[in-house]
Amino acid sequence: QVQLVESGGGLVQAGGSLRLSCEASGTLFSIETMAWYRQHPGKQRELVARIARNKRIDYADSVKGRCTISRDNPKNMVFLQMDKLNVEDTAAYFCYATTVKGGFWGQGISVTVSS
């Protein structure tokens, strides 16, 4: 199955920035949608941003204007630039990708924003 490996998380002060990266491997099929989700403790996983292969983009209202999603199709990578972070952005962030074989999740990466 497709493996997705996230990187770039960590601890940042409020108002700071982080850039998350996700690299997909193990697939012979084209990756269609790539997305970032996040999950706060005790809550359902929610969409942060997604980008189709043709670069069509959608953002959650909670991050619109503060985040930028992009992808590098030849490298099978997706990125999430997060700026003006606040404590409410603290969560586990998950990379997600789809192919004709279905959808696949990364293991998740922690983002902690301190006040």
Side-chain angles (χ1 to χ4, degrees):
Q1 294 183 342
V2 177
Q3 288 186 308
L4 302 173
V5 180
E6 303 102 332
S7 62
L11 176 65
V12 64
Q13 290 185 334
S17 299
L18 285 175
R19 181 177 173 86
L20 304 182
S21 300
C22 173
E23 183 174 9
S25 62
T27 180
L28 297 177
F29 303 96
S30 297
I31 295 177
E32 179 51 35
T33 299
M34 301 192 80
W36 289 97
Y37 288 74
R38 68 184 181 186
Q39 189 166 16
H40 298 89
K43 297 183 178 180
Q44 291 186 332
R45 193 169 299 178
E46 64 182 26
L47 177 69
V48 178
R50 62 185 168 201
I51 180 169
R53 188 169 184 85
N54 64 4
K55 306 298 178 68
R56 182 177 179 179
I57 293 171
D58 293 296
Y59 293 103
D61 289 341
S62 59
V63 302
K64 191 174 298 182
R66 300 189 296 117
C67 293
T68 302
I69 190 171
S70 60
R71 64 187 289 172
D72 185 332
N73 290 335
K75 296 182 179 179
N76 281 338
M77 296 188 70
V78 63
F79 310 92
L80 184 68
Q81 176 69 39
M82 301 189 293
D83 302 311
K84 300 179 181 178
L85 290 165
N86 56 61
V87 174
E88 294 180 344
D89 293 317
T90 296
Y93 285 73
F94 296 85
C95 183
Y96 178 76
T98 64
T99 72
V100 295
K101 290 294 186 178
F104 304 89
W105 292 96
Q107 293 183 350
I109 189 168
S110 178
V111 170
T112 302
V113 183
S114 65
S115 60

